[in-house]
Amino acid sequence: MIRPDLDRLEQVLEQLQVSSLRDTRGRLATRWQCYSLFFTLDGEGDVYAARTIYDRFFTVDDKAALRGVLDEWNRDTTGLKVYTATDDDGTVIIVSEATMHIGGGVTSEQFAATTTAWLNAAGSFHVWLSQRLALAGLPGEPA
């Protein structure tokens, strides 16, 4: 059993040939064409989390229809949950999140498999979202 840290996470991402950087908030970030994925381990190392911010921007007027689309994903899938967030300027964005409690430790294989699954889920959601936004009549192209 291991207690993962950002150095171990960096090693996992290197093995997966995924480039990453550490941001000023202590997260390990990966950048993709249409989204950014941030991995965190809380201060005590009890919770491992991945949060993805998608490069799609909406108005408050779009929020009700957008929530309907996201509710469909949340109802039909497990693991990766998605929601809207509103920036201070009123811009609505889409965020996905996954967490795993690791207080008692995990195996190296479990940690690597979870990281891989979260990377794949973020990409799968992006593809699904592109299709669903078009069907819902919402802006379908990333900004």
Side-chain angles (χ1 to χ4, degrees):
M1 300 295 273
I2 61 165
R3 298 275 302 180
D5 58 19
L6 289 181
D7 291 333
R8 185 172 299 271
L9 176 56
E10 217 164 22
Q11 292 170 2
V12 169
L13 293 173
E14 285 174 12
Q15 290 171 352
L16 296 170
Q17 298 180 340
V18 172
S19 62
S20 64
L21 61 95
R22 291 187 193 210
D23 72 6
T24 58
R25 294 173 63 188
R27 303 175 299 186
L28 202 57
T30 64
R31 178 72 190 135
W32 303 86
Q33 184 175 352
C34 299
Y35 55 91
S36 297
L37 182 63
F38 301 90
F39 294 97
T40 59
L41 291 153
D42 72 355
E44 291 80 42
D46 290 336
V47 178
Y48 176 42
R51 178 175 289 150
T52 308
I53 300 173
Y54 296 87
D55 299 342
R56 295 176 182 273
F57 305 96
F58 303 88
T59 67
V60 173
D61 294 337
D62 297 326
K63 203 166 187 175
L66 187 56
R67 281 185 177 161
V69 170
L70 301 182
D71 284 351
E72 181 182 337
W73 173 270
N74 289 330
R75 183 180 52 250
D76 295 344
T77 64
T78 60
L80 184 67
K81 296 304 172 194
V82 297
Y83 54 91
T84 63
T86 305
D87 286 341
D88 291 339
D89 67 0
T91 302
V92 177
I93 61 171
I94 298 173
V95 179
S96 70
E97 202 168 280
T99 60
M100 179 173 76
H101 293 278
I102 56 172
V106 294
T107 66
S108 294
E109 295 79 14
Q110 182 182 18
F111 185 66
T114 298
T115 302
T116 302
W118 289 349
L119 287 163
N120 290 333
S124 294
F125 175 72
H126 166 69
V127 170
W128 180 90
L129 182 64
S130 297
Q131 296 165 350
R132 281 301 290 126
L133 290 177
L135 292 173
L138 290 164
E141 294 301 316

